[in-house]
Amino acid sequence: MYESAVKTGGIAVVTGAASGVGRVAAQRFAQAGLDVILADLPGQALDETTQDLKAGFDAANITAVPTDVTSQADMENLADTAFAAGQVAVLMNNAGISLPTKTWESFDNWRKILDVNFLGVLRGVQAFLPRMIEADRPAVVINTGSKQGITSPPGNPGYNVSKAAVKTLTEQLAHELREAGAPITAHLFVPGFTYTGMVASFLPEKPAAAWTSEQTVDYFLDRMAQGDFYILCPDNDVDAERDRRRVQWAAEDIIHNRPALSRWHPDYAEAFAKFENPRADHKTRTRGRR
């Protein structure tokens, strides 16, 4: 549906557009010939991104709308601004934050994370989708998730919960759009380890394992153009096969009634290592028999 949406033309709306994958995605949508609305918190980052895109493309086709995704009024204003300018071909709910959390602590951080990462996406869906469906034209909705919302590694439960909620919401959205017969598809964008501004704040140099935002967005756009719903992006450390095995192991915790998060349980460390990399395990066992 993405290629049809681009061919039909219209507007791409991107939240969290002032940096990282949001900024690169906005550039790619402009390169594809769409008008672009950049939505992010007001400030220098949004101003600079807007100036850069206007310098590289027709300035009339690039618009900044300062937006706080935790504000219902701001999201409704964003939708009103977009539809006043034309039809929406792409809605990318990408804004996100990360704050430290523990299960029995940090309630304020939990609330902030959920308000941005999950409710911000839900506000975007509810502000835009009724009019996108009514327009009855090809369009796509992109919600940015995380592998942490799928395999749920220990360390930041609040972030994991927020991204797990985005996954479930996007699955439900895709089903409802299909059942409604709307010419709109939903896609779950799951970056791998990507060197964004957030990462650069504590890692001044790009780690060898990380992809650039450009690599991640280009991979995502290619898979979306091929119709994929779940788009787990690899990086220089984790390839697609390794991602599949990690997701499968996590799902099979339920099937095999293993302890929660058994991937990180000491009793299952060896079993997971063999499952994740069976070729390495095969070589180890061969050497042992010799």
Side-chain angles (χ1 to χ4, degrees):
M1 191 63 71
Y2 176 62
E3 291 182 342
S4 296
V6 170
K7 184 177 180 179
T8 305
I11 300 167
V13 180
V14 183
T15 68
S19 64
V21 295
R23 175 176 174 143
V24 173
Q27 292 173 329
R28 295 295 186 262
F29 297 142
Q31 289 169 347
L34 298 172
D35 295 347
V36 177
I37 293 180
L38 307 165
D40 212 315
L41 294 172
Q44 182 178 354
L46 180 59
D47 294 343
E48 289 180 353
T49 297
T50 304
Q51 292 170 6
D52 289 348
L53 262 68
K54 284 189 173 185
F57 303 96
D58 186 343
N61 297 338
I62 308 297
T63 305
V65 179
T67 303
D68 181 349
V69 299
T70 70
S71 165
Q72 189 74 27
D74 276 14
M75 292 303 289
E76 291 174 357
N77 174 67
L78 178 63
D80 289 343
T81 301
F83 286 104
Q87 294 296 335
V88 175
V90 175
L91 170 64
M92 184 172 182
N93 292 304
N94 173 71
I97 61 170
S98 181
L99 297 168
T101 60
K102 290 186 177 180
T103 53
W104 57 80
E105 298 176 5
S106 322
F107 182 83
D108 285 345
N109 283 358
W110 274 85
R111 178 182 53 77
K112 291 173 184 176
I113 290 172
L114 289 168
D115 205 8
V116 174
N117 293 3
F118 172 58
L119 292 178
V121 173
L122 182 60
R123 290 185 188 98
V125 168
Q126 296 200 347
F128 280 84
L129 261 296
R131 282 180 275 189
M132 291 175 70
I133 293 170
E134 183 180 3
D136 195 32
R137 51 147 291 159
V140 297
V141 180
I142 303 159
N143 293 337
T144 301
S146 170
K147 294 177 187 180
Q148 290 182 227
I150 299 172
T151 58
S152 195
N156 193 341
Y159 184 83
N160 294 0
V161 167
S162 73
K163 292 299 186 177
V166 171
K167 170 184 172 290
T168 300
L169 172 65
T170 312
E171 290 168 336
Q172 298 293 317
L173 174 62
H175 173 78
E176 291 180 3
L177 288 170
R178 184 170 63 244
E179 291 295 299
I184 304 169
T185 56
H187 304 268
L188 184 66
F189 171 34
V190 184
F193 183 21
T194 307
Y195 193 62
T196 63
M198 184 185 299
V199 176
S201 66
F202 57 87
L203 290 175
E205 296 185 7
K206 187 182 85 65
W211 266 14
T212 65
S213 294
E214 288 79 6
Q215 287 175 294
T216 298
V217 170
D218 288 343
Y219 180 91
F220 167 76
L221 291 176
D222 177 66
R223 298 310 309 175
M224 182 171 63
Q226 297 183 51
D228 290 3
F229 171 80
Y230 298 103
I231 306 175
L232 278 68
C233 301
D235 51 48
N236 292 331
D237 182 54
V238 180
D239 61 16
E241 177 60 23
R242 199 171 184 184
D243 269 332
R244 283 192 289 269
R245 288 186 171 274
R246 289 178 175 183
V247 171
Q248 182 179 345
W249 182 276
E252 289 182 350
D253 274 354
I254 300 171
I255 296 169
H256 298 304
N257 196 26
R258 294 188 293 237
L261 305 185
S262 70
R263 175 178 157 190
W264 295 274
H265 193 295
D267 292 350
Y268 291 84
E270 184 177 355
F272 173 72
K274 292 177 180 179
F275 181 82
E276 183 183 36
N277 196 340
R279 287 186 294 273
D281 173 58
H282 173 73
K283 292 176 183 178
T284 300
R285 288 186 281 110
T286 300
R287 287 196 297 270
R289 286 196 298 268
R290 289 176 181 173

